[in-house]
Amino acid sequence: MDIGTTPQKLSRLCQALNNARVSSSRLSRHHISSSWLNNKPTFLERCSNFCDFRPYLGGKRPSLSNSLRLKPLLTGGSRKVKRKLIWRKAPHTEAKHKILDYYLKAWIPKLGTWNERILIIDGFAGPGEYADCKPGSPVVILDIVTNHVLRNRIGKIGVFLIEGNNDRANHLEDLLIRRYSPLRAGESIYELNEGKTVFAVIKGKFSATLEEMLDITQTHGVSLPPCFAFIDPFGPSGIPMELISGLMKCTKAEILINFPVDSVNRFLGTPAYENTLDALYGCKNWRKLRMMKGVERRRRLRELYISQLKANAGAEYTLHFTMRNARNRELYYLIFATKHWHGLDIMKQAMWKIAPDGSFQFSDYTHSPEQPWLFPLEPDWEELAGLIWKHFRGQEAVPPGEIERWTVIETIYASNHVRRALTLLEEKGKLCKYEAAYSGRGWIKLAPYKKKGAFPNGKVVVDFSAD
Ligand SMILES: C[S@@+](CC[C@H](N)C(=O)[O-])C[C@H]1O[C@@H](n2cnc3c(N)ncnc32)[C@H](O)[C@@H]1O
């Protein structure tokens, strides 16, 4: 690991994230801006000024020419190097990236239009591509960030790409320089969208980098911009609960973690892994699960992790999605944690797109791109309609937004499923709708609202007392 580069790069990235002007004018996609404005000191500027990184500056960042030297290995080198640097993309990885893609497409404008700066951390970035040239997570993220249809209306976006393996980090940086040309090699912190997007490949361990960031924020009592962290390790090492909690506590952070249940389960009885699992869980209670077996043990391993996220990190809402390999064996759970139900809703919608039957799982074993389902899968509208009716029955003036909020928090369904379920109830005569006004003490029913199948938020209330 090139430890000298991490704090230096973090500091410079922080400055870049702060200094550039947020302009609403039309932006060219890959333009390098040199006209940074000196705003009054903001949090990240102060962070980088506060910190004395000199002790770390001894290390030298590998030059681009070093990264380029990897090229022959990739095109004609030995199989050993090939396998080590990049690997084949499994269908479940493709599914994971689609979830990331759907989620970020909605999360970025949701937060980016209301906040001057947002931050995306890819904590285990990988080499940026797979053996078949398919994109890795950093490319998925940067493509969405730079090409978002609403990019002009969104503020600054910082993307930290952390990779612990030097060869992969160099490969990633080289690949991004080529992909987002005309980036200048050797810049170390790169700008796109006229400086509104800044990114850096940080060559270092996820935990050390995050610790550095949290140290800065804790020492100086300041907070990070709203943040999404994608934490995608190979195994249970290097993702201590303490740091993940620290991140969620110090900002509006949402996290998507690859919880490697297969390896956690395998190492549960291995003494050499005790410290790793203690750090992963942030407690020693996982030892009690050694007695259990099979599906129930994996479920309890997951539930313990989720309860630790809630207790330590203040995660109000969590969601998990199971990934299975070609033998249909559970490989890992994608666990999402957030403090806000809107974030939960965005992630739910993304996961429903990958598992349209509502199973919240994907298996390479059953995945068959050549043979799509004969009948398109869809949510069980009757079930959702029944759940809504049972919960709100008797209430006279419920705003549709409240029905959505309840649905997202209390059921497996998302807000975009609610209208269809309400329409079903409407057709069965189980509800009426009224135009509505807000009185200060609550919603008041006005005249009946005639338009079938429409439930505009803020305009109507739903009456479940008719039946
Ligand atoms: C599962 S791969 C990441 C794949 C990538 N997120 C994607 O979706 O394309 C895990 C990566 O983490 C890197 N890694 C391993 N330990 C690390 C650590 N402690 N900190 C940061 N990266 C690490 C590995 O070199 C590997 O490239």
Side-chain angles (χ1 to χ4, degrees):
M1 183 183 88
D2 185 5
I3 196 158
T5 62
T6 303
Q8 186 183 19
K9 199 172 265 190
L10 266 179
S11 162
R12 290 193 53 210
L13 186 60
C14 290
Q15 272 172 341
L17 189 54
N18 277 275
N19 286 350
R21 176 173 42 168
V22 179
S23 153
S24 58
S25 64
R26 199 167 172 76
L27 301 164
S28 77
R29 187 173 152 223
H30 296 141
H31 180 74
I32 300 174
S33 160
S34 58
S35 62
W36 291 355
L37 293 185
N38 285 324
N39 295 335
K40 62 181 179 182
T42 57
F43 147 61
L44 288 169
E45 271 176 333
R46 278 184 285 137
C47 276
S48 45
N49 293 340
F50 283 151
C51 291
D52 186 356
F53 292 126
R54 272 170 299 178
Y56 298 100
L57 299 185
K60 196 169 176 292
R61 178 184 166 273
S63 68
L64 181 69
S65 53
N66 282 345
S67 347
L68 289 174
R69 259 179 239 133
L70 286 167
K71 269 187 174 169
L73 296 178
L74 291 174
T75 49
S78 72
R79 286 188 62 79
K80 199 174 165 204
V81 174
K82 260 189 191 174
R83 237 181 287 134
K84 211 174 144 197
L85 197 63
I86 55 177
W87 56 95
R88 195 183 63 81
K89 190 172 190 177
H92 63 81
T93 308
E94 191 72 58
K96 177 171 65 182
H97 288 168
K98 280 193 180 146
I99 290 175
L100 190 62
D101 177 284
Y102 290 135
Y103 167 82
L104 283 178
K105 275 183 183 148
W107 179 83
I108 287 171
K110 193 119 196 160
L111 271 90
T113 40
W114 297 105
N115 295 281
E116 216 176 309
R117 294 170 183 81
I118 55 174
L119 182 62
I120 298 172
I121 300 173
D122 188 348
F124 293 75
E129 66 176 341
Y130 288 80
D132 35 16
C133 293
K134 289 184 178 157
S137 55
V139 172
V140 172
I141 293 169
L142 279 171
D143 275 2
I144 297 164
V145 168
T146 54
N147 292 319
H148 202 287
V149 282
L150 298 173
R151 189 68 190 89
N152 288 348
R153 294 197 217 150
I154 297 167
K156 289 216 75 176
I157 305 179
V159 182
F160 289 18
L161 306 167
I162 306 166
E163 170 53 47
N165 175 293
N166 251 331
D167 287 346
R168 289 188 187 131
N170 287 337
H171 183 77
L172 171 63
E173 193 160 10
D174 176 30
L175 180 137
L176 297 180
I177 288 167
R178 278 185 277 122
R179 186 176 181 89
Y180 297 102
S181 171
L183 283 178
R184 228 173 316 133
E187 284 281 326
S188 129
I189 290 156
Y190 301 100
E191 291 188 11
L192 299 164
N193 304 117
E194 289 192 340
K196 279 183 66 176
T197 300
V198 292
F199 77 87
V201 177
I202 297 166
K203 294 163 193 174
K205 303 281 183 212
F206 169 68
S207 52
T209 309
L210 189 56
E211 203 175 342
E212 187 82 33
M213 287 166 64
L214 296 179
D215 268 0
I216 293 171
T217 58
Q218 277 160 18
T219 312
H220 304 294
V222 285
S223 59
L224 284 172
C227 159
F228 167 70
F230 179 48
I231 302 166
D232 185 26
F234 276 141
S237 309
I239 44 171
M241 175 63 69
E242 193 189 351
L243 287 178
I244 287 165
S245 307
L247 178 65
M248 281 201 75
K249 275 183 186 154
C250 85
T251 183
K252 246 191 242 169
E254 308 204 330
I255 54 171
L256 184 64
I257 304 182
N258 172 334
F259 180 80
V261 67
D262 195 36
S263 42
V264 172
N265 190 37
R266 200 155 7 104
F267 298 138
L268 214 61
T270 311
Y273 271 85
E274 287 196 343
N275 289 343
T276 301
L277 296 184
D278 283 349
L280 174 77
Y281 278 100
C283 70
K284 295 181 188 294
N285 294 352
W286 57 268
R287 287 171 172 76
K288 294 181 191 157
L289 306 181
R290 281 173 170 158
M291 309 297 168
M292 309 189 80
K293 282 203 167 65
V295 179
E296 182 57 11
R297 180 156 103 167
R298 285 197 293 275
R299 188 186 70 78
R300 294 283 297 273
L301 286 170
R302 181 188 70 223
E303 290 312 312
L304 177 62
Y305 189 74
I306 288 174
S307 70
Q308 284 295 99
L309 277 178
K310 289 187 170 171
N312 291 278
E316 289 261 331
Y317 308 107
T318 60
L319 192 61
H320 67 270
F321 191 100
T322 305
M323 291 294 187
R324 295 172 182 270
N325 67 8
R327 283 177 287 135
N328 211 29
R329 183 189 169 94
E330 281 186 353
L331 270 187
Y332 57 90
Y333 303 123
L334 282 179
I335 296 180
F336 176 71
T338 178
K339 286 180 239 167
H340 206 286
W341 75 271
H342 282 301
L344 178 70
D345 188 29
I346 293 173
M347 185 51 86
K348 255 192 187 178
Q349 293 189 32
M351 289 180 173
W352 267 95
K353 282 188 180 147
I354 302 304
D357 57 350
S359 61
F360 287 81
Q361 60 176 315
F362 180 93
S363 173
D364 292 355
Y365 178 72
T366 49
H367 170 68
S368 171
E370 291 80 29
Q371 283 187 316
W373 297 100
L374 207 51
F375 304 103
L377 295 171
E378 55 175 27
D380 186 339
W381 305 111
E382 288 284 351
E383 182 190 57
L384 177 57
L387 290 170
I388 290 173
W389 191 70
K390 201 170 155 199
H391 181 76
F392 290 100
R393 188 179 181 184
Q395 296 189 37
E396 286 188 27
V398 187
E402 175 50 26
I403 304 170
E404 287 178 3
R405 196 187 72 87
W406 177 84
T407 299
V408 170
I409 294 171
E410 300 295 342
T411 77
I412 62 162
Y413 297 96
S415 67
N416 61 336
H417 298 140
V418 167
R419 193 184 60 80
R420 178 115 176 232
L422 289 179
T423 305
L424 259 183
L425 291 173
E426 186 177 33
E427 285 165 3
K428 290 180 180 174
K430 301 244 181 216
L431 60 80
C432 308
K433 287 177 308 197
Y434 294 88
E435 287 175 9
Y438 193 70
S439 75
R441 283 205 305 264
W443 289 93
I444 305 170
K445 288 195 296 187
L446 302 172
Y449 186 80
K450 296 273 168 51
K451 199 171 167 193
K452 297 274 178 228
F455 298 84
N457 238 328
K459 279 197 178 164
V460 302
V461 286
V462 183
D463 183 346
F464 291 94
S465 67
D467 185 63

